Amino acid sequence: MMGVITQAVMVQADIDVRGMGPAQKVHLADEIFAQQPNLLASILVLPNMGVDMLTLEVPLHILLVAFKAMKLSGHTWPLISEDVQERCLQRLTARVRFNEGLPEHLADQMVQQFCDEHRERYLLAFVYGYLGDHDLMQVRTDAEKYLMLAALNLVECLADVGATTSS
Protein backbone atom coordinates (compact mmCIF):
# COMPACT_ATOMS: atom_id res chain seq x y z
CA MET A 1 0.00 0.00 0.00
CA MET A 2 1.23 3.46 -0.87
CA GLY A 3 1.76 5.99 1.88
CA VAL A 4 0.22 9.41 2.20
CA ILE A 5 3.28 11.66 1.98
CA THR A 6 3.57 12.55 -1.69
CA GLN A 7 6.65 13.83 -3.49
CA ALA A 8 5.10 17.30 -3.74
CA VAL A 9 4.39 17.33 0.01
CA MET A 10 8.00 16.30 0.77
CA VAL A 11 9.43 19.01 -1.47
CA GLN A 12 7.16 21.67 0.04
CA ALA A 13 7.93 20.55 3.62
CA ASP A 14 11.68 20.78 2.98
CA ILE A 15 11.32 24.23 1.36
CA ASP A 16 9.18 25.42 4.27
CA VAL A 17 11.61 24.22 6.96
CA ARG A 18 14.66 25.58 5.13
CA GLY A 19 12.91 28.96 5.02
CA MET A 20 12.21 29.05 8.77
CA GLY A 21 14.13 31.14 11.24
CA PRO A 22 15.24 29.76 14.60
CA ALA A 23 12.08 30.93 16.42
CA GLN A 24 9.83 29.24 13.83
CA LYS A 25 11.82 26.01 14.18
CA VAL A 26 11.46 26.12 17.96
CA HIS A 27 7.69 26.64 17.54
CA LEU A 28 7.53 23.61 15.19
CA ALA A 29 9.57 21.57 17.69
CA ASP A 30 7.04 22.57 20.39
CA GLU A 31 4.26 21.23 18.15
CA ILE A 32 6.19 17.99 17.71
CA PHE A 33 6.63 17.75 21.50
CA ALA A 34 2.85 18.19 21.95
CA GLN A 35 1.77 15.78 19.18
CA GLN A 36 4.63 13.26 18.73
CA PRO A 37 6.83 13.48 21.85
CA ASN A 38 8.46 10.09 21.26
CA LEU A 39 9.71 11.14 17.82
CA LEU A 40 11.30 14.23 19.34
CA ALA A 41 12.82 12.20 22.18
CA SER A 42 14.34 9.71 19.72
CA ILE A 43 16.36 12.57 18.19
CA LEU A 44 17.12 14.53 21.37
CA VAL A 45 18.68 11.43 22.98
CA LEU A 46 21.40 11.24 20.28
CA PRO A 47 23.96 13.45 22.14
CA ASN A 48 23.92 10.76 24.87
CA MET A 49 25.14 8.37 22.15
CA GLY A 50 28.04 10.55 21.06
CA VAL A 51 26.39 12.74 18.40
CA ASP A 52 27.83 16.26 18.68
CA MET A 53 25.53 19.27 18.72
CA LEU A 54 26.49 20.44 15.22
CA THR A 55 25.75 17.01 13.72
CA LEU A 56 22.49 16.83 15.71
CA GLU A 57 21.16 19.55 13.38
CA VAL A 58 20.91 16.92 10.60
CA PRO A 59 18.43 14.55 12.30
CA LEU A 60 16.61 17.55 13.78
CA HIS A 61 16.10 18.96 10.27
CA ILE A 62 14.87 15.53 9.12
CA LEU A 63 12.39 15.44 12.03
CA LEU A 64 11.14 18.98 11.34
CA VAL A 65 10.67 18.22 7.63
CA ALA A 66 8.97 14.88 8.36
CA PHE A 67 6.58 16.52 10.82
CA LYS A 68 5.87 19.39 8.40
CA ALA A 69 5.15 16.78 5.71
CA MET A 70 2.78 15.00 8.11
CA LYS A 71 0.92 18.29 8.60
CA LEU A 72 0.86 19.12 4.86
CA SER A 73 -0.38 15.62 3.97
CA GLY A 74 -3.90 16.50 5.10
CA HIS A 75 -4.03 13.37 7.22
CA THR A 76 -4.28 12.70 10.93
CA TRP A 77 -1.37 10.72 12.38
CA PRO A 78 -1.77 8.50 15.43
CA LEU A 79 0.61 8.94 18.34
CA ILE A 80 3.79 6.96 17.75
CA SER A 81 4.40 5.06 20.97
CA GLU A 82 7.68 3.75 22.35
CA ASP A 83 6.40 0.24 21.53
CA VAL A 84 5.97 1.19 17.85
CA GLN A 85 9.46 2.73 17.85
CA GLU A 86 10.98 -0.41 19.38
CA ARG A 87 9.18 -2.77 16.98
CA CYS A 88 10.24 -0.70 13.96
CA LEU A 89 13.83 -0.48 15.20
CA GLN A 90 13.99 -4.26 15.61
CA ARG A 91 12.77 -4.74 12.02
CA LEU A 92 15.20 -2.11 10.73
CA THR A 93 18.23 -3.62 12.48
CA ALA A 94 17.26 -7.14 11.34
CA ARG A 95 17.13 -5.88 7.73
CA VAL A 96 20.54 -4.22 8.11
CA ARG A 97 22.07 -7.38 9.58
CA PHE A 98 20.62 -9.48 6.74
CA ASN A 99 22.02 -7.12 4.09
CA GLU A 100 25.47 -7.09 5.73
CA GLY A 101 26.00 -10.74 4.83
CA LEU A 102 25.13 -10.35 1.15
CA PRO A 103 27.49 -9.73 -1.78
CA GLU A 104 27.49 -6.02 -2.64
CA HIS A 105 25.40 -6.32 -5.82
CA LEU A 106 22.71 -8.33 -3.99
CA ALA A 107 22.74 -5.94 -1.03
CA ASP A 108 22.29 -3.02 -3.46
CA GLN A 109 19.34 -4.84 -5.07
CA MET A 110 17.77 -5.48 -1.67
CA VAL A 111 18.12 -1.80 -0.69
CA GLN A 112 16.64 -0.70 -4.03
CA GLN A 113 13.71 -3.10 -3.63
CA PHE A 114 13.16 -1.90 -0.06
CA CYS A 115 13.04 1.72 -1.27
CA ASP A 116 10.81 0.97 -4.26
CA GLU A 117 8.29 -0.93 -2.15
CA HIS A 118 8.41 1.32 0.93
CA ARG A 119 5.10 2.70 2.08
CA GLU A 120 6.56 6.18 2.59
CA ARG A 121 9.11 6.09 -0.24
CA TYR A 122 9.36 9.86 -0.72
CA LEU A 123 10.12 10.44 2.96
CA LEU A 124 12.64 7.58 2.83
CA ALA A 125 14.28 9.06 -0.28
CA PHE A 126 14.48 12.46 1.43
CA VAL A 127 16.14 10.95 4.51
CA TYR A 128 18.70 8.99 2.47
CA GLY A 129 19.42 12.08 0.36
CA TYR A 130 19.76 14.42 3.32
CA LEU A 131 22.04 12.02 5.19
CA GLY A 132 24.11 11.62 2.01
CA ASP A 133 24.32 15.39 1.51
CA HIS A 134 25.85 15.62 5.00
CA ASP A 135 28.25 12.68 4.50
CA LEU A 136 26.46 10.53 7.08
CA MET A 137 25.83 7.40 4.98
CA GLN A 138 29.24 5.83 5.60
CA VAL A 139 28.61 4.98 9.28
CA ARG A 140 32.22 5.43 10.34
CA THR A 141 31.45 5.77 14.07
CA ASP A 142 28.94 4.49 16.60
CA ALA A 143 27.52 8.03 16.81
CA GLU A 144 26.85 8.01 13.03
CA LYS A 145 25.28 4.54 13.33
CA TYR A 146 22.86 5.74 16.03
CA LEU A 147 22.07 8.90 14.05
CA MET A 148 21.29 6.89 10.91
CA LEU A 149 19.16 4.38 12.82
CA ALA A 150 17.21 7.20 14.49
CA ALA A 151 16.55 8.93 11.15
CA LEU A 152 15.55 5.74 9.34
CA ASN A 153 13.44 4.56 12.27
CA LEU A 154 11.48 7.80 12.10
CA VAL A 155 10.51 6.84 8.54
CA GLU A 156 9.69 3.27 9.60
CA CYS A 157 7.44 4.50 12.40
CA LEU A 158 5.48 6.81 10.11
CA ALA A 159 5.07 4.03 7.56
CA ASP A 160 4.05 1.60 10.31
CA VAL A 161 1.31 3.71 11.90
CA GLY A 162 0.06 5.11 8.63
CA ALA A 163 -2.36 7.97 8.68
CA THR A 164 -6.08 8.44 8.48
CA THR A 165 -7.84 10.84 6.17
CA SER A 166 -8.98 14.04 7.82
CA SER A 167 -12.56 15.01 7.24
Side-chain angles (χ1 to χ4, degrees):
M1 181 179 161
M2 189 61 185
V4 297
I5 298 176
T6 64
Q7 187 175 15
V9 163
M10 276 312 308
V11 169
Q12 189 59 54
D14 188 39
I15 290 168
D16 289 354
V17 172
R18 286 176 191 264
M20 288 180 175
Q24 291 168 303
K25 289 181 180 180
V26 168
H27 180 73
L28 189 58
D30 287 344
E31 281 186 60
I32 298 169
F33 177 73
Q35 295 176 33
Q36 294 290 349
N38 295 317
L39 290 183
L40 183 60
S42 71
I43 301 303
L44 294 182
V45 74
L46 289 172
N48 296 347
M49 298 169 176
V51 175
D52 64 72
M53 294 313 279
L54 190 60
T55 308
L56 185 66
E57 290 182 22
V58 173
L60 275 174
H61 180 79
I62 289 169
L63 174 63
L64 292 173
V65 171
F67 187 75
K68 186 72 176 174
M70 291 164 68
K71 288 176 59 172
L72 292 173
S73 74
H75 290 75
T76 304
W77 295 81
L79 177 68
I80 294 169
S81 67
E82 288 182 33
D83 289 344
V84 168
Q85 287 180 307
E86 183 62 32
R87 184 177 66 242
C88 290
L89 188 60
Q90 287 174 355
R91 278 198 311 250
L92 186 61
T93 54
R95 191 176 299 115
V96 168
R97 284 192 189 105
F98 176 76
N99 285 359
E100 282 176 349
L102 294 174
E104 189 174 345
H105 73 282
L106 285 179
D108 290 347
Q109 286 177 358
M110 293 298 293
V111 169
Q112 187 62 53
Q113 181 182 4
F114 170 68
C115 294
D116 290 345
E117 296 173 359
H118 200 277
R119 184 170 178 179
E120 292 297 348
R121 72 179 62 140
Y122 298 113
L123 178 58
L124 182 64
F126 167 76
V127 170
Y128 274 129
Y130 199 75
L131 290 172
D133 289 348
H134 291 84
D135 194 29
L136 292 167
M137 293 294 292
Q138 302 305 313
V139 190
R140 295 164 291 247
T141 64
D142 280 350
E144 286 182 3
K145 175 179 74 175
Y146 293 125
L147 186 153
M148 178 181 271
L149 285 172
L152 292 175
N153 202 48
L154 180 109
V155 179
E156 292 310 300
C157 290
L158 293 181
D160 186 74
V161 300
T164 56
T165 305
S166 298
S167 45

